[in-house]
Structures are given as structure tokens and as C-alpha cells.
Amino acid sequence: MRELAVRLGVNANTVAAAYRTLRERGVIETAGRRGSRVRPKPATTGREEIRVDVPEGVRDVADGNPDPALLPRLAEAFAAAAAQSDREPVLYGHDPVEPELARLVRAALDADGVPDGPIAVASGSLDAVERVLMAHLKPGDQVAVEDPGWGSLLDLVPALGLRTVPVGVDDEGPRTDDVRRALESGARAVIVTDRAQNPTGAAVGAARARALRSVLREHPETLLIEDDHGHGIVDVPLHPLAGATRHWVFVRSVAKAWGPDLRLSVFTGDAVTVDRVRGRQRLGPGWVSRLVQRAAVRLWRDGAVDTREVAASYGARRDALVRALAEHGVAAHGRSGMNVWVPVPDETGAVARLLHAGWAVAPGARFRLNTPPGIRITVSTLTAQETGPLAEAVAKAVGPAPSRTYV
């Protein structure tokens, strides 16, 4: 910094401020004595650009969307919510959380063993995660994230001026030793997907949860964020980590079970964290529409979605594809949710060959940091008649997978 200040003829504090601004905006990454480097691309560019354009006639199994046929119809729920809002209008100064929604959420969380805490509402899981991170961390702080993991989250962390620390994943969730190394190296927060992990389908089992809680208790000041976005579409039990650290948040979204366009997630956590998030939320959007919250209550009360049936449907499609791939000698992962992850030796070639064969899959680069290449296949709308041909096409495109692990 001193050398640059002399070269430019400016004060060293000016150079330091410039570096700080570049880091906060995600343009550069700093690594202490190892110096700083320009990121390969601006943090806000987004991994969503790493996608395949699906030509006409090509089957799209890349989009990550739920099956529209399994989503509830919303007209009746919103009509009932609108009628309630006509009778009981929500005005400035009212509670930002619909009381009945809070009651239903709390009862469900109690049943799943999530510790008690205040209830708050956000506009989807990513909105909740962003608000929680900003409530506790400062630019330059390290965040342990799953690798492979949710592409939008891998974009969000550096966009906030934070630094990602990759944590390996297997079928049971984040690897315990990787989480320990990340925390010992200075990570101030860790983000864990409990079930239906995107893109691998991993789900945290009982033994892994005990091991992770033990590691987290050794670092009680760590901010723990759990994302249970698969609630309502999974057939594996929840093993929450919440409460293992002083500051924690547990997030649930309705996107996969009731529809992405509702833009609704609920979360609980320690009182300090939730209070910080709700306080900052009041200075921005104020609250998530109580009309939407009331519609969610109606959907919940009416049992608009048979969660067992939905989970069974996704599970059958997912398991069928994993079995069909195994018959062709291709290892694949998909313990829960609506995606299957296939490690491949040549990601670009595999995607291109599958596209030529009539199948559009998601390039693994959208979800990877240090993990070797792979492809993600969304099975949510895959039919029984399509499973065999898809597995055969994958086998021809990728050959036997290099290993049965992600890293």
C-alpha cells in the first residue's frame, strides 16, 4: 500500500480506503500477508449465467424447479386472505408477523426439535440468510459454505464482502473435519443445509448431527445458519444443529412445497439475532406482506399439500434415476430432495454431449468452489418412461464416475 501511495502521489490512507472499498464490493479478495487478488469476475455477475440454453425439442432437467403439478392452487387461499385483510387491514405499526402463522410455525418447529426462539418472516431463504449474515459479520469475515453448494449462496457471500471457506459434503451433509478446519482457521459463520441439499441431495443424519454439534460447541461464538428449504418435500427426518452455538438461525422456505413465487420463508433463532434482523428489516421493506402470510396460513390449515405424497413422488423419481445410473456403472448421489448429482471427469464435454443427445443438465460449475467436476439433474418432472433413456444418455456422455465421493 505504501509503494502504491508513493507511485500515485496520494496518502497511504487513501490507498487503504480504496482496497477496503474493493474488498467490500467483492472485486478483490485479501489473504493477509499473501496479499490481495482480483476476483475472476465481479461477485454480482452471478453463477446463474453458467447455464445451458435449452433449444426447442431438448428435455430440460436442469432448472431446479418443483413439479408444478404438485404445487397447490393459490386462488382460494388468496381470496380468503384478501377477505380477512378487508375485515382486518394491516397498517403501519402492526406486528410484522401474522400471529396464526407464528403459532403454526412454532408448533412445527417444536415437533422437529428446533429450540425455542422468536419467529420472523423474510422474502425467501436467501433473503433471510443475507439479513442474518449482515446482522453479525463485517466485510472480510470468513463464512464456511458447503462445496458443492447452492449457487446463489456462493454468489451472495462474496457480494456482501465476505470470504467463502469451502466445506466438503457427502451424503450425510457437511464433513465434520472440514467444518472443524474452517472454524479453526477463523470462519465466523457456517451455513448448513439440513435436507435436500442443492445440488447433491445430502441430508444430515443423526450421527453426523451429533458430530457437528460437538464441533460447534467448541466454537460457541460461531454464527450458525441452518437452511431447511426442503421441508415439505423430503422423506428423511430432521436433525437440527440449532442451539449448539450462542448465535443461530433456523430458516424454512415454502418455495419448494407451495411455490417459489410466494417469496416467503420463516425463521427462528436466538433473541439477539432475530431482534437485529427484524430491526433492520423495519428500516427497509418494513415487513413481508401480511396478505401473503395469511394466504400461507390458509394453505397450511387446509392441508393444501400432502407432504408425504410429494416426498414420495420426488423420492421415487430420484431413486429410480440413481438406480438406473448404477446399472450403467455411473455413481450418483441423491439422498433427498429433487436433484441428483453425478461426478464426471469432463464437465463441459458431458454437458455438451447430453445436449446433443436431447437432454439439458445443469453444469456443476454453478455449484462448485474446489469440488471436482459434476453435473446436476433435476428429477422433479422426470417420468418413469424417461428414466432409462436419460440414464443411458448420461452413461454414454460421462462414462463411469471417477469416484463415489464429492471431493
Side-chain angles (χ1 to χ4, degrees):
M1 289 186 183
R2 287 192 296 270
E3 292 176 0
L4 184 57
V6 171
R7 187 185 311 170
L8 298 178
V10 298
N11 189 285
N13 290 335
T14 302
V15 175
Y19 268 81
R20 183 171 60 252
T21 299
L22 290 170
R23 184 178 67 248
E24 291 174 354
R25 295 183 180 180
V27 177
I28 66 172
E29 293 179 334
T30 57
R33 294 182 178 180
R34 289 179 292 178
S36 304
R37 68 180 181 89
V38 178
R39 286 178 51 83
K41 60 182 181 180
T44 53
T45 299
R47 292 169 180 260
E48 287 301 309
E49 292 190 355
I50 307 174
R51 61 170 58 249
V52 174
D53 291 329
V54 184
E56 185 176 352
V58 170
R59 180 69 164 91
D60 185 358
V61 289
D63 61 15
N65 278 309
D67 183 355
L70 296 178
L71 298 177
R73 298 297 173 257
L74 303 178
E76 184 177 340
F78 271 94
Q84 181 182 354
S85 293
D86 286 342
R87 299 190 306 271
E88 308 166 19
V90 177
L91 305 173
Y92 295 115
H94 285 195
D95 194 322
V97 180
E98 181 68 19
E100 182 61 8
L101 179 63
R103 188 190 68 78
L104 291 169
V105 169
R106 186 65 261 170
L109 294 175
D110 288 344
D112 280 333
V114 179
D116 193 20
I119 301 297
V121 181
S123 297
S125 292
L126 202 63
D127 181 46
V129 171
E130 176 179 3
R131 292 181 180 281
V132 172
L133 289 173
M134 295 307 291
H136 277 284
L137 306 187
K138 63 182 185 301
D141 284 343
Q142 299 180 55
V143 180
V145 296
E146 296 163 340
D147 181 22
W150 185 15
S152 295
L153 177 65
L154 299 184
D155 278 339
L156 173 66
V157 172
L160 297 176
L162 306 171
R163 297 164 56 192
T164 55
V165 180
V167 169
V169 177
D170 60 23
D171 290 334
E172 294 286 319
R175 297 177 184 273
T176 306
D177 289 343
D178 284 8
V179 173
R180 179 180 287 107
R181 280 193 291 269
L183 297 181
E184 290 177 349
S185 70
R188 292 198 56 210
V190 59
I191 304 174
V192 175
T193 309
D194 291 294
R195 302 177 287 187
Q197 198 263 6
N198 186 8
T200 69
V204 177
R208 181 62 54 84
R210 286 194 296 271
L212 289 172
R213 282 195 292 266
S214 178
V215 171
L216 289 166
R217 289 190 187 104
E218 297 172 3
H219 302 270
E221 296 305 311
T222 300
L223 171 62
L224 168 66
I225 301 176
E226 289 184 86
D227 177 10
D228 189 33
H229 75 99
H231 175 69
I233 67 163
V234 294
D235 49 8
V236 294
L238 175 72
H239 299 285
L241 310 177
T245 59
R246 179 183 174 191
H247 296 298
W248 60 274
V249 164
F250 183 94
V251 185
R252 271 184 176 166
S253 165
V254 305
K256 300 299 188 298
W258 293 348
D261 197 37
L262 286 175
R263 307 313 308 140
L264 181 70
S265 68
V266 294
F267 62 96
T268 187
D270 67 276
V272 170
T273 299
V274 176
D275 184 62
R276 288 181 183 179
V277 172
R278 290 179 64 167
R280 181 63 185 87
Q281 195 176 33
R282 281 194 295 270
L283 300 177
W287 67 90
V288 174
S289 169
R290 288 273 295 271
L291 178 66
V292 174
Q293 294 185 49
R294 286 170 171 174
V297 168
R298 184 59 179 257
L299 290 167
W300 199 324
R301 281 177 171 172
D302 291 350
V305 172
D306 185 332
T307 56
R308 291 185 179 181
E309 179 182 338
V310 171
S313 179
Y314 288 139
R317 300 173 200 186
R318 188 184 64 247
D319 293 346
L321 179 60
V322 172
R323 285 195 303 269
L325 288 168
E327 291 172 1
H328 288 280
V330 178
H333 304 271
R335 186 172 173 222
S336 62
M338 57 180 64
N339 295 306
V340 169
W341 177 256
V342 183
V344 300
D346 175 12
E347 184 175 299
T348 302
V351 171
R353 286 189 287 273
L354 281 165
L355 193 64
H356 182 72
W359 301 93
V361 300
R366 288 176 56 185
F367 316 100
R368 298 188 290 109
L369 292 172
N370 295 338
T371 301
I375 57 174
R376 188 196 72 179
I377 301 172
T378 299
V379 302
S380 55
T381 60
L382 194 66
T383 66
Q385 293 73 27
E386 292 175 318
T387 301
L390 173 57
E392 183 177 358
V394 171
K396 290 180 179 178
V398 309
S403 72
R404 291 185 178 273
T405 59
Y406 306 147
V407 294

